[in-house]
């Protein structure tokens, strides 16, 4: 059994709520202490890893018991902590729809989990879940105009920052993303 200093129940919550609750819980523990986050959202693994890295916290790992993911995070010391920033280049859903209608040479990158993408995505979107992005960046053109979408703009913010750090030149985060998308969608499951 892993010794933790605090347990957070985020079961039944979808992105961005596990991150929102984790941010609050991390503020309630001391530097160096370990937080256990219990979640059922499969996307929470990639989300929490990316969020922890961005804030300087140490993502220790995940176990799974009876469908519940248990994520372990060690709170950064003041020397390790990084200031959290939001990706500055954003557009809203209506602006993305205009870009799509203009048939411009853009890449729409959907960083949600495969199941989310399979049941509802924007036609022509490329699916690379946030957790796979590091390993699959080579599938993308570093000079392409890339618009990154997720459910709420949270995962796509993390992905946009990661792509920019790796030398991608034209990245834009789509906010609020699929949770409020009113344009055309399709699914790949029957």
């Amino acid at each position: 059994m892993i010794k933790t200093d605090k347990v957070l129940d985020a079961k039944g919550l979808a992105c961005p709520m596990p991150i929102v609750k984790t941010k609050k819980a991390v503020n309630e523990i001391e530097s160096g202490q370990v937080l256990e986050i219990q979640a059922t959202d499969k996307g929470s693994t990639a989300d929490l890893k990316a969020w922890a890295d961005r804030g300087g916290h140490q993502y220790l790992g995940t176990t799974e018991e009876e469908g519940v993911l248990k994520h372990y995070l060690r709170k950064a010391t003041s020397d390790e902590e990084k200031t959290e920033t939001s990706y500055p280049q954003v557009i809203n859903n209506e602006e993305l729809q205009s870009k799509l209608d203009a048939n411009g040479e853009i890449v729409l990158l959907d960083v949600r989990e495969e199941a989310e993408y399979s049941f509802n995505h924007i036609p022509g979107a490329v699916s690379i879940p946030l957790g796979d992005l590091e390993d699959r960046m080579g599938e993308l053109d570093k000079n392409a105009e890339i618009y990154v979408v997720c459910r709420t703009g949270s995962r796509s913010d993390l992905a946009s920052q990661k792509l920019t750090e790796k030398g991608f030149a034209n990245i834009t985060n789509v906010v609020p993303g699929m949770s409020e998308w009113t344009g055309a969608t399709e699914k790949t499951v029957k």
Side-chain angles (χ1 to χ4, degrees), residues 48-148:
L48 287 166
K49 281 181 184 178
W51 178 81
D53 182 56
R54 198 167 90 186
H57 305 292
Q58 184 180 6
Y59 183 83
L60 301 172
T62 300
T63 62
E64 185 172 357
E65 294 177 21
E66 299 176 13
V68 176
L69 299 167
K70 293 183 178 184
H71 306 286
Y72 297 92
L73 180 91
R74 183 189 146 277
K75 182 177 179 174
T77 63
S78 57
D79 293 345
E80 298 167 324
E81 201 166 345
K82 300 175 189 172
T83 303
E84 191 173 328
T85 59
S86 293
Y87 190 74
Q89 183 72 24
V90 298
I91 65 167
N92 63 36
N93 288 3
E94 293 76 22
E95 291 168 313
L96 175 61
Q97 184 65 64
S98 294
K99 292 269 186 192
L100 294 170
D101 290 344
N103 292 323
E105 289 292 319
I106 68 168
V107 174
L108 180 57
L109 175 63
D110 191 322
V111 295
R112 296 175 301 151
E113 291 299 303
E114 287 180 28
E116 293 173 284
Y117 177 87
S118 294
F119 283 98
N120 181 33
H121 63 270
I122 299 169
V126 175
S127 174
I128 302 179
L130 179 61
D132 298 340
L133 187 59
E134 190 79 36
D135 294 333
R136 295 181 55 196
M137 280 184 195
E139 297 174 26
L140 301 168
D141 178 353
K142 282 193 171 190
N143 297 310
E145 191 174 340
I146 301 174
Y147 292 82
V148 188

Side-chain angles (χ1 to χ4, degrees), residues 7 28 31 43 48 91-92 126 132 137 169 171-172 175 185:
V7 176
E28 296 170 356
S31 295
L48 287 166
I91 65 167
N92 63 36
V126 175
D132 298 340
M137 280 184 195
I171 304 297
T172 303
V175 177
T185 61

